[in-house]
């Protein structure tokens, strides 16, 4: 069941070589970084890039000499790229135009496939949520407000000549893309990870159900979307305002931003396997509260039950797409870090299907997935 370019391309074995070449020749690095660095690999992600933190090799000497101990993050792409062609650089400019906090690009070396980024630390919202605390409610409220800003400011910018300079406005989360992602789920999770035999009438039925779900999920009102707005793509960092003392959210990994369903980012945030891995009792928010906040911030009409019914189709497609990614990473890439998220994602899928068991298509999809185990 081929799906074209849905599978991400992994950085090659030369990633570290290109990183070292960047450090040797860079003119933007602080003196303490050019004179000798320690390289700290950061968590491997599912996409086409790997990240490294660069810090002074001798932090004591750097501090004593007055050079400081500033660090940067280097992002190494799968391969070199043509100048001006990197979606991440384009979306960084977009988010700064929208007034959304995101790390600055300090230097770009297309011929090496390396970019240097402002280092905001490691405190992902996922880790903050795992630690608990009363301040979490404030951070999740802020996350919803960021989604609203992306949509409001995106709509404003879309009506200006400047919009043509941003790729996000010409790309869409449409039914065709949703269907390819669901096919990827069937190939790499159902068959590749769970070992289901897909063929004959059952395969045809699954494809028919997926086609209908893709159309439904893509059929509602659209807005500018981050496309991967979850707790691992939000960093709790320092406020850029000098007088600000509280932690604020910074948005990362926005290179896939595009026009999509208005609820896509919200459902990515509230139906997030990365915080649900500990069970529903540990979720740091009440979903209806965040949906209500989103409704009011964006100016959507409708009751909460009506909106949740609309949003469930988007959430179902999104969670099935995530399972496809996890299956691919575990089974094809040997990246076992994603295995732990399979169970909570399956739970959210089954709860979603159960809420709509009165519909024959959801009931049948639930029956087809009933025997799938986390593996």
């Amino acid at each position: 069941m081929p799906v074209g370019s849905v599978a991400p391309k992994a950085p090659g074995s030369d990633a570290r070589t290109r990183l070292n070449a960047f450090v040797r020749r860079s003119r933007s690095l602080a003196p303490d970084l050019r004179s000798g660095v320690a390289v700290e690999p950061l968590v491997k992600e599912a996409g086409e890039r790997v990240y490294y933190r660069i810090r002074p090799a001798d932090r004591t000497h750097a501090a004593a000499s007055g050079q400081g101990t500033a660090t940067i993050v280097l992002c190494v792409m799968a391969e070199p790229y043509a100048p001006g062609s990197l979606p991440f650089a384009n979306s960084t400019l977009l988010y700064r135009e929208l007034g959304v906090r995101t790390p600055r690009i300090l230097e770009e070396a297309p011929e090496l496939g390396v970019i240097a980024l402002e280092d905001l630390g490691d405190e992902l919202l996922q880790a903050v949520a795992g630690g608990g605390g009363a301040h979490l409610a404030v951070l999740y409220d802020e996350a919803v407000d960021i989604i609203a800003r992306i949509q409001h400011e995106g709509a404003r910018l879309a009506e200006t000549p400047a919009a043509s300079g941003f790729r996000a406005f010409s790309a869409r989360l449409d039914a065709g893309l949703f269907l390819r992602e669901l096919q990827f789920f069937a190939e790499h999770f159902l068959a590749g990870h769970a070992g289901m035999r897909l063929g004959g009438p059952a395969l045809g039925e699954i494809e028919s159900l997926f086609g209908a779900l893709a159309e439904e999920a893509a059929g509602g009102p659209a807005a500018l979307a981050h496309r991967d707005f979850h707790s691992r793509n939000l960093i709790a960092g320092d406020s850029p305002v000098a007088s600000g003392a509280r932690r604020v959210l910074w948005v990362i990994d926005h290179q896939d931003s595009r026009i999509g369903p208005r609820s896509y980012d919200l459902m990515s945030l509230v139906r997030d396997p990365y915080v649900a891995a500990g069970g529903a009792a540990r979720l740091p928010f009440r979903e209806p509260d965040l949906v209500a906040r989103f409704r009011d911030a964006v100016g959507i009409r409708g009751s909460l039950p009506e909106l949740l019914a609309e949003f469930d189709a988007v959430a179902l497609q999104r969670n099935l797409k995530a399972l496809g990614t996890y299956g691919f990473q575990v089974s094809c890439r040997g990246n076992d870090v994603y295995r732990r998220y399979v169970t909570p994602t399956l739970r959210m899928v089954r709860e979603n299907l159960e809420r709509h068991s009165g519909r024959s298509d959801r009931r049948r999809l639930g029956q087809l997935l009933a025997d799938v185990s986390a593996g």
Side-chain angles (χ1 to χ4, degrees):
M1 198 179 293
V3 291
S5 61
V6 172
K9 182 176 181 179
S13 59
D14 68 334
R16 187 63 178 265
T17 299
R18 291 187 280 124
L19 179 152
N20 291 336
F22 176 88
V23 171
R24 286 195 303 270
R25 57 185 276 187
S26 173
R27 296 182 179 180
S28 67
L29 300 186
D32 57 328
L33 292 178
R34 291 200 304 269
S35 62
V37 301
V39 179
E40 174 190 352
L42 301 180
V43 176
K44 182 179 179 182
E45 295 294 347
E48 300 181 355
R49 46 204 180 273
V50 290
Y51 292 89
Y52 301 86
R53 174 170 289 112
I54 307 300
R55 61 172 176 79
D58 186 347
R59 285 183 282 188
T60 302
H61 173 74
S65 65
Q67 292 178 330
T69 57
T71 63
I72 64 169
V73 169
L74 294 187
C75 173
V76 184
M77 308 303 294
E79 57 192 5
Y81 55 90
S85 68
L86 188 65
F88 179 80
N90 186 265
S91 62
T92 295
L93 294 176
L94 170 61
Y95 276 66
R96 297 183 74 83
E97 178 68 24
L98 298 176
V100 176
R101 288 182 294 270
T102 192
R104 291 178 297 120
I105 294 178
L106 305 176
E107 186 176 358
E108 189 176 357
E111 70 281 5
L112 295 174
V114 179
I115 57 176
L117 300 170
E118 183 180 12
D119 187 1
L120 299 175
D122 297 324
E123 198 170 12
L124 300 177
L125 181 59
Q126 179 193 26
V128 180
H135 63 294
L136 268 176
V138 175
L139 290 177
Y140 270 91
D141 284 349
E142 181 181 349
V144 173
D145 293 344
I146 290 172
I147 296 172
R149 169 170 281 274
I150 291 171
Q151 295 195 8
H152 279 306
E153 292 301 308
R156 176 195 60 78
L157 184 60
E159 298 300 320
T160 71
S164 62
F166 299 112
R167 302 179 183 198
F169 293 110
S170 59
R172 297 193 73 88
L173 282 170
D174 58 16
L177 177 57
F178 281 165
L179 179 58
R180 292 194 296 275
E181 291 176 341
L182 292 170
Q183 291 170 336
F184 191 78
F185 158 75
E187 179 181 359
H188 290 289
F189 185 80
L190 293 181
H193 182 76
M196 286 183 63
R197 293 187 177 182
L198 301 175
L203 178 58
E205 186 177 16
I206 287 176
E207 289 181 333
S208 177
L209 290 169
F210 284 171
L213 174 59
E215 291 286 348
E216 182 180 357
L224 181 62
H226 176 282
R227 204 277 173 94
D228 215 14
F229 198 91
H230 56 67
S231 61
R232 290 176 63 82
N233 284 336
L234 296 167
I235 294 178
D238 293 331
S239 170
V241 181
S243 60
R246 74 176 185 88
R247 306 292 272 173
V248 296
L249 292 178
W250 296 72
V251 179
I252 62 174
D253 279 3
H254 39 58
Q255 62 281 341
D256 288 330
S257 295
R258 59 193 62 206
I259 303 298
R262 64 184 178 183
S263 64
Y264 195 89
D265 283 349
L266 181 68
M267 290 298 98
S268 301
L269 179 71
V270 301
R271 307 279 176 86
D272 180 3
Y274 299 127
V275 297
R282 294 185 58 188
L283 290 178
F285 54 81
R286 289 187 68 256
E287 180 177 309
D289 292 345
L290 294 188
V291 172
R293 186 179 185 91
F294 173 76
R295 177 194 60 187
D296 296 341
V298 176
I300 298 175
R301 293 182 178 179
S303 68
L304 288 181
E306 290 171 340
L307 292 178
L308 286 169
E310 172 196 332
F311 294 174
D312 263 348
V314 174
L316 178 59
Q317 193 283 334
R318 165 80 187 179
N319 285 148
L320 292 175
K321 179 255 188 187
L323 286 171
T325 299
Y326 303 156
F328 176 79
Q329 288 293 320
V330 173
S331 302
C332 297
R333 290 276 177 83
N335 189 355
D336 213 48
V337 69
Y338 290 93
R339 188 182 298 274
R340 76 191 71 168
Y341 303 120
V342 170
T343 295
T345 311
L346 272 176
R347 183 176 64 245
M348 285 188 284
V349 165
R350 286 168 174 155
E351 290 172 349
N352 192 329
L353 293 171
E354 179 61 28
R355 280 194 297 275
H356 302 281
S357 60
R359 291 177 48 169
S360 59
D361 56 343
R362 294 293 193 269
R363 185 167 60 252
R364 182 57 182 147
L365 187 55
Q367 292 167 349
L368 290 169
L369 300 180
D371 296 329
V372 174
S373 69

